Amino acid sequence: MTYTAPLTAEQAERLGEDVGRIVAFTARALNQEWPHLGVERLVESFTRPVVLEVTTARYLKALESGAKPGEAAGEAGAALIRDWADARLRAREETAGRDATG
């Protein structure tokens, strides 16, 4: 589907479904690789408003750049994994720093 600004009701519904699939597939992929990461916990992390906004923007940008929908979804999902991993690493470093000084 092609998206235009402003989105029609149909486009908004479809975009929500597309981003929902990106989030779900990304959570399942991480859970398959690391089963101790619960799918529910990952979905909860990935459905925070700021995360959904960034994922949506990345997906739309990839589509606008000429990527096919599957490719755009893959790019947005891969970026979501990178962001999540970076955030986890930062949190661990901060926790380790507090433990060392505490």
Side-chain angles (χ1 to χ4, degrees):
M1 170 175 269
T2 301
Y3 296 100
T4 58
L7 295 176
T8 65
E10 180 184 349
Q11 289 173 328
E13 184 174 331
R14 177 60 190 261
L15 182 58
E17 290 172 2
D18 289 350
V19 173
R21 278 191 211 94
I22 292 167
V23 166
F25 284 125
T26 302
R28 278 192 239 150
L30 282 170
N31 176 258
Q32 287 176 354
E33 186 67 29
W34 295 285
H36 68 282
L37 300 172
V39 172
E40 297 84 10
R41 186 172 164 205
L42 291 166
V43 169
E44 182 180 320
S45 294
F46 294 165
T47 55
R48 292 188 176 124
V50 69
V51 177
L52 289 173
E53 288 173 22
V54 170
T55 302
T56 300
R58 286 178 169 151
Y59 177 61
L60 289 172
K61 183 178 179 184
L63 288 173
E64 290 169 5
S65 296
K68 294 179 182 175
E71 295 167 337
E75 288 178 29
L80 177 56
I81 290 172
R82 286 190 298 275
D83 288 346
W84 172 84
D86 289 345
R88 291 212 21 149
L89 289 173
R90 279 193 307 276
R92 282 188 183 160
E93 289 171 359
E94 289 172 9
T95 301
R98 281 193 302 261
D99 290 346
T101 61

